[in-house]
Amino acid sequence: MRAMQIPSDHPLLLRIVDDLAERGWSQQNIFLPDALTRALAAECRQRAAEGELAPAAVGRGPFSEIREGIRGDRIQWIEPGQAQACDRYLGLMDSLREAMNRGLFLGLEDFESHFALYPPGAFYLKHVDRFRDDDRRMVSAVLYLNDAWLPEHGGQLRMYLDDGVEHDVVPSGGCLVVFLSGQIPHEVLPATRDRLSLTGWFRRRGNELF
């Protein structure tokens, strides 16, 4: 299985880097080819049908717990070598990691990502992605996998920006949203149909001794 990589100076990646430098977030409505978006959606649905997606928890380590009143998605982490579509996506994310390191000097070392399926009515209340006791997550990346999504289906990602501005992202297939993990509060609004995504984080080396 070959990863899908593009040069780290590709104009699309440089646009994301420029957006992060200027305002702390970037939205690219057409990031993936349709065929790869459909393949990733099919992989997510297959894993869900086979019972591999589990309720997501809030918190970290021994303090994590499942609280559906806060978040209601079901997830499974992806690893290299599991599926060709996932490997292609991870290759693209590695190209983006290199571009951000070159342009923003973030020292990003790796990328972790999971499928997320929100059934109808599920949501995730307002939060930030960086843990209080772990500063490794630097940049969040959400890729949407939903075919023919309409605004009336709901499920928007609502970002709370500076000066009280709220920005809603419709989770249309192939759209990628990237933002600084510790700086932009956000929430997932409930939808009327299954809402699929790949949610991930670019991480730097942590300060932990072990």
Side-chain angles (χ1 to χ4, degrees):
M1 299 182 185
R2 292 188 60 187
M4 181 178 181
Q5 288 186 284
I6 59 178
S8 60
D9 60 353
H10 189 283
L12 177 59
L13 303 185
L14 295 182
R15 188 157 63 243
I16 294 173
V17 171
D18 288 344
D19 285 346
L20 288 174
E22 178 181 347
R23 61 188 184 183
W25 64 279
S26 180
Q27 177 180 340
Q28 303 301 320
N29 291 327
I30 303 175
F31 182 76
L32 283 193
D34 287 343
L36 180 52
T37 301
R38 290 194 298 269
L40 289 167
E43 180 70 20
C44 181
R45 291 191 181 280
Q46 178 179 340
R47 295 184 186 205
E50 295 174 354
E52 296 181 6
L53 273 62
V58 296
R60 176 174 175 264
F63 302 104
S64 66
E65 58 180 330
I66 296 171
R67 298 181 62 184
E68 292 188 356
I70 296 178
R71 66 181 298 186
D73 54 326
R74 304 180 67 84
I75 69 170
Q76 188 187 46
W77 295 93
I78 64 173
E79 301 291 344
Q82 293 178 332
Q84 184 176 10
C86 294
D87 284 352
R88 294 179 70 195
Y89 178 65
L90 291 174
L92 283 173
M93 291 297 98
D94 198 57
S95 297
L96 178 55
R97 180 188 64 82
E98 292 177 358
M100 290 189 293
N101 278 343
R102 180 175 299 173
L104 302 173
F105 307 103
L106 294 178
L108 303 173
E109 289 202 331
D110 61 20
F111 178 71
E112 59 179 4
S113 184
H114 63 63
F115 283 115
L117 188 156
Y118 287 80
F123 55 87
Y124 194 163
L125 296 182
K126 184 178 179 181
H127 64 284
V128 293
D129 282 350
R130 182 181 291 175
F131 297 114
R132 294 179 181 177
D133 61 344
D134 186 345
D135 65 354
R136 286 178 293 178
R137 288 181 175 178
M138 293 292 292
V139 180
S140 303
V142 186
L143 174 76
Y144 296 108
L145 307 174
N146 306 295
D147 182 50
W149 194 276
L150 300 175
E152 52 264 36
H153 293 144
Q156 290 87 349
L157 173 71
R158 176 165 293 169
M159 298 191 292
Y160 295 88
L161 308 175
D162 294 337
D163 301 322
V165 174
E166 296 178 4
H167 176 72
D168 285 356
V169 179
V170 176
S172 301
C175 174
L176 177 74
V177 181
V178 181
F179 55 91
L180 298 178
S181 300
Q183 297 185 20
I184 298 185
H186 55 283
E187 66 175 313
V188 175
L189 304 181
T192 60
R193 52 179 278 202
D194 285 350
R195 177 189 187 276
L196 312 180
S197 67
L198 271 168
T199 301
W201 298 271
F202 295 93
R203 305 189 303 175
R204 66 181 177 186
R205 183 186 298 274
N207 295 324
E208 300 161 332
L209 294 178
F210 301 100

